[in-house]
Amino acid sequence: MAGLLNTSSILMCPHGGTVQVIPGNTRTKAAGDFVLRQSDTYLVVGCPFVVGPMLHPCLQIQWVLPAAQSQVQSDFTLTEESVGLCVAGDQAVQGVALIVFTQPRVVGQ
């Protein structure tokens, strides 16, 4: 089992952009902060990725592998083992989201 992601978790794109989460969950907490779900909004800020001469930053994360069994408000949660794809404005996949830190006390599957 892996630690659940919450609003204190630190997420980044593979190019160093930071992730800001807009959570939809306002009821369930893990280690004092709201648990993150697959359907929440994940915005990438400050991605410096360049393709040729054009700036092509990651703008959002689309989670393709959430927790298999853990749910909050009828939506799958995210854990340290979840996989999210960083995508640009044209929906081009530019790499996998990095989960830098999350709380270790509350786990999900």
Side-chain angles (χ1 to χ4, degrees):
M1 293 225 242
L4 289 175
L5 300 188
N6 66 10
T7 51
S8 293
S9 299
I10 299 172
L11 310 172
M12 297 177 73
C13 80
H15 315 107
T18 58
V19 178
Q20 295 179 348
V21 183
I22 302 170
N25 165 35
T26 57
R27 293 197 308 209
T28 306
K29 293 184 177 184
D33 292 308
F34 294 113
V35 173
L36 299 182
R37 303 173 309 150
Q38 184 178 22
S39 64
D40 292 337
T41 301
Y42 299 84
L43 303 175
V44 180
V45 179
C47 174
F49 189 59
V50 176
V51 176
M54 302 279 297
L55 189 60
H56 202 254
C58 298
L59 296 179
Q60 64 183 358
I61 297 176
Q62 296 174 349
W63 294 93
V64 294
L65 186 61
Q69 298 176 355
S70 303
Q71 291 188 10
V72 167
Q73 295 176 320
S74 301
D75 191 12
F76 291 103
T77 60
L78 300 177
T79 71
E80 294 173 289
E81 296 174 350
S82 296
V83 176
L85 301 178
C86 296
V87 296
D90 61 2
Q91 299 302 304
V93 175
Q94 305 196 127
V96 176
L98 305 174
I99 300 168
V100 179
F101 172 80
T102 194
Q103 59 77 37
R105 295 188 310 194
V106 183
V107 296
Q109 200 173 38

